[in-house]
Amino acid sequence: MFLKSARTLSLLIAIFGSCISNTTQSTLRRLKTYLQGHTATAGITVQLQVDKQVNISLLPMSISNLNAAEQTFSFSAGVSMKWYDNNLAWNKTEYDDIENVTISAAYVWTPSVIIPNGVDNVVPGSVLSPKIQSIGKAKQLIVESFKTSCQIDIALYPFDQQRCSILFMPVNSFTPGLYTTGSIIDTLPTFFIENSEWELVDIHAKVIDVQMIYISSVASFEFLLKRKSMFYIVSIIFPMALLSLLNACVFLLPADSGEKMSYLISIFVSYAVFMNFVHDSIPKSGDVCRLSVYLTLILCQSSLTIITTMARLNVRNNGLLFQTKTDVQPAIDNANTTSTERTSVKSASNVRHADYVLFGMFLLLALMSLLVFCV
């Protein structure tokens, strides 16, 4: 008896659930018919007034790449477009208190945009179906990886900042607006993926008036990116600055050691080997960056140090040769010998003084070369 009652109850629940499901599906079909209007293919058209517009907002998800050679900027973001249309409003009491529906864009009017500064693709592909509220508010999302053209200036590399923007141009007669103008980033979302080379400082949103025949304005989102320069300081600038300081130390070596030229040539070869590594890290562009200027300056300093050392060694050898020829002649008296010794001591003192002066000069040149990053 108990088993029979349980089966009857289960059957009643199934029938009741089926009725509810059929009723809900019937209500949704009626709502769909209402929203799509009399023409099933064209959908509802929206009549935008002067104070009505489609507000666009952007949420960054990741920064992929900033290519100086191709002048392109790649990133992933979600774009939200919101608008209000009285034709999309319904009385929720007539439709089982349904407040929100997601409907195919084929049945209702939705704003269409293109990206005029896009690369490879100017039409967003990943457009989700619009979500509509009973009061007539509609929202549509675009989630995609974007690639836009960007004018990249590497003059301050590796301490540069770049500004790259993405533009949204309307194509089906609506006025683009912004949910928030000016700086739109207070804090980055928790799911934002940081880039290893670039830091996202800010995003500036604005509407640009273009005054074209069919298009009056476009929505612009400008990304402010700052290069993370610590890697370049530790891996490139500091080692090269250290080598330039070692160049100046050649004048502290005694000339009798015979190691001056080999010391300088070793440093010069180190420059050449290190430059091969540096060449791969510098962005390929027609502009000259400050890092390239700095490397050229210290290379010229190294060459000037070699030339100066060769000249001083040549002068010293000529002086020793003259002194040797003088010593071969018989000494006239003790007074002349003492005078010659005093002259030699004074000459050696002058040589050491000149070496100290040259050391200070080239040390100053090495430090002044770093000022190229401060100008």
Side-chain angles (χ1 to χ4, degrees):
M1 182 71 180
F2 175 76
L3 223 11
K4 186 175 180 181
S5 299
R7 289 177 180 175
T8 304
L9 181 61
S10 299
L11 183 60
L12 289 175
I13 292 174
I15 295 173
F16 181 72
S18 177
C19 292
I20 293 177
S21 178
N22 292 335
T23 302
T24 303
Q25 293 297 326
S26 176
T27 303
L28 289 176
R29 282 195 295 269
R30 287 193 300 111
L31 183 56
K32 174 186 172 183
T33 304
Y34 169 77
L35 290 176
Q36 74 182 21
H38 299 289
T39 306
T41 56
I44 296 176
T45 59
V46 62
Q47 300 295 329
L48 291 174
Q49 306 298 327
V50 177
D51 58 340
K52 304 297 183 181
Q53 60 186 8
V54 177
N55 291 325
I56 303 175
S57 60
L58 183 141
L59 183 65
M61 295 188 293
S62 67
I63 302 297
S64 301
N65 187 31
L66 191 62
N67 194 315
E70 298 180 358
Q71 299 283 293
T72 57
F73 172 50
S74 302
F75 66 98
S76 298
V79 180
S80 172
M81 295 186 293
K82 300 178 181 179
W83 69 98
Y84 181 83
D85 182 11
N86 288 325
N87 295 324
L88 299 180
W90 69 88
N91 188 352
K92 62 182 181 179
T93 58
E94 297 179 2
Y95 297 94
D96 296 342
D97 291 329
I98 296 177
E99 295 184 357
N100 301 285
V101 294
T102 300
I103 190 170
S104 173
Y107 301 116
V108 296
W109 181 94
T110 56
S112 298
V113 295
I114 62 172
I115 305 172
N117 62 336
V119 178
D120 298 334
N121 189 12
V122 297
V123 179
S126 303
V127 182
L128 304 182
S129 298
K131 183 178 181 180
I132 305 173
Q133 298 180 14
S134 60
I135 59 176
K137 289 184 178 180
K139 177 181 178 181
Q140 189 174 35
L141 292 177
I142 302 174
V143 181
E144 192 170 348
S145 294
F146 300 95
K147 186 176 182 180
T148 63
S149 60
C150 179
Q151 186 67 34
I152 301 175
D153 183 14
I154 64 167
L156 299 179
Y157 174 87
F159 304 101
D160 54 329
Q161 293 185 358
Q162 305 296 336
R163 293 181 180 272
C164 299
S165 61
I166 181 171
L167 304 176
F168 293 98
M169 178 182 293
V171 295
N172 58 347
S173 302
F174 70 89
T175 303
L178 296 173
Y179 188 76
T180 304
T181 58
S183 177
I184 63 173
I185 288 189
D186 294 328
T187 56
L188 290 173
T190 55
F191 55 82
F192 180 78
I193 302 176
E194 295 281 352
N195 187 271
S196 60
E197 186 176 2
W198 294 96
E199 175 188 357
L200 179 59
V201 179
D202 195 8
I203 299 179
H204 187 80
K206 60 182 178 180
V207 175
I208 302 175
D209 294 330
V210 294
Q211 299 301 328
M212 298 176 63
I213 298 177
Y214 299 105
I215 300 172
S216 60
S217 58
V218 297
S220 170
F221 294 89
E222 185 179 58
F223 290 71
L224 176 58
L225 304 168
K226 181 180 180 181
R227 192 188 299 270
K228 300 177 181 178
S229 57
M230 185 55 65
F231 167 79
Y232 302 94
I233 294 175
V234 175
S235 302
I236 299 178
I237 297 177
F238 178 74
M240 298 299 279
L242 190 60
L243 288 176
S244 65
L245 293 177
L246 290 176
N247 259 330
C249 294
V250 70
F251 298 105
L252 300 180
L253 287 176
D256 296 334
S257 65
E259 298 294 333
K260 283 196 170 188
M261 289 306 300
S262 60
Y263 174 81
L264 288 176
I265 294 301
S266 299
I267 294 178
F268 194 82
V269 171
S270 300
Y271 275 133
V273 173
F274 202 77
M275 289 281 281
N276 290 330
F277 165 73
V278 174
H279 180 267
D280 295 333
S281 63
I282 296 179
K284 307 300 183 293
S285 177
D287 300 328
V288 178
C289 63
R290 295 193 179 184
L291 181 59
S292 298
V293 175
Y294 174 70
L295 296 178
T296 303
L297 287 177
I298 60 176
L299 193 62
C300 293
Q301 176 195 342
S302 179
S303 302
L304 185 60
T305 307
I306 293 175
I307 295 173
T308 304
T309 303
M310 291 175 61
R312 285 195 56 75
L313 290 177
N314 190 27
V315 171
R316 180 180 180 278
N317 290 335
N318 290 337
L320 289 177
L321 182 61
F322 175 76
Q323 183 179 356
T324 302
K325 290 181 178 180
T326 304
D327 292 342
V328 172
Q329 299 177 359
I332 299 176
D333 51 22
N334 293 333
N336 290 337
T337 303
T338 304
S339 176
T340 302
E341 291 177 352
R342 290 177 179 176
T343 303
S344 299
V345 171
K346 185 177 181 180
S347 176
S349 177
N350 291 335
V351 168
R352 285 195 299 272
H353 180 71
D355 284 339
Y356 293 148
V357 171
L358 288 172
F359 168 74
M361 288 177 55
F362 280 91
L363 185 63
L364 184 62
L365 283 176
L367 295 177
M368 289 181 62
S369 298
L370 291 170
L371 294 178
V372 71
F373 298 110
C374 303
V375 178

